[in-house]
Amino acid sequence: MQQRILVWDLPVRIGHWLMASSFLVAWLTAESEDWHTLHLAAGGTLLGVVIFRILWGLIGTRYARFAEFIRRPREIGQYLRALLRLDPPTFIGHNPAGGVAILVMLGLGALTALLGWGAELEWGGDWLKDVHEFAASLMLAVVCVHIGGVVLDSVLHRFNLARAMVDGRKQGAVTAGIASAKALGLIPLFACIGVVLWYLLR
């Protein structure tokens, strides 16, 4: 029997929107001296979320784990071909393309934040700032592709995928859902962010 089931736990959802908002703030404040401290805080928050998400990808709930959505290249190719035919299969968790996007965004998010941190400490001169800006631009491009994928998936499956990252629920069999939202996972999430911000802004 199909019904709305809990798929995304609370730490995944809050981490998702924190990552999105911190990247947006960092992007918008990148060229402003007046907002430089906010830019650093946003970058630090982004790095903290990435660290947490890697940890949660190993010990989190079912659909949060890397083992659930990292697919073989052949499976990814099959999904992309089905997507081009506008007939992709439905997945309870991340689809294969979404799984790739998550890994790329985590990698680019960490790289961009670390390069920015290095530039702030004046480790590499102007070239490091240039690489930091390039990584941020690449991250923005991947984010735009990700948003496009979410919209396309929502249209093809007639389901608001963005809403699922708010309330955590998707359509599926009762037995496919996770048992709870795991609110205690917010402790390591905010601990990771707090530690990074403390090191960065002290």
Side-chain angles (χ1 to χ4, degrees), residues 3-13 53 56 60-65 68 91-94 159 161 164-165 167-182:
Q3 66 177 49
R4 286 180 61 77
I5 57 172
L6 185 62
V7 173
W8 306 121
D9 60 50
L10 196 58
V12 164
R13 285 178 274 150
R53 190 61 185 87
W56 205 242
T61 54
R62 176 180 175 182
Y63 298 104
R65 296 190 182 192
E68 179 66 29
F91 289 82
I92 297 295
H94 295 297
F159 177 79
L161 195 55
M165 197 49 76
D167 64 17
R169 297 184 179 277
K170 296 179 73 176
Q171 201 73 16
V174 176
T175 54
I178 60 174
S180 75
K182 294 291 182 185

Side-chain angles (χ1 to χ4, degrees), residues 7-25:
V7 173
W8 306 121
D9 60 50
L10 196 58
V12 164
R13 285 178 274 150
I14 291 180
H16 173 274
W17 294 113
L18 274 175
M19 186 171 178
S21 58
S22 61
F23 177 74
L24 178 62
V25 170

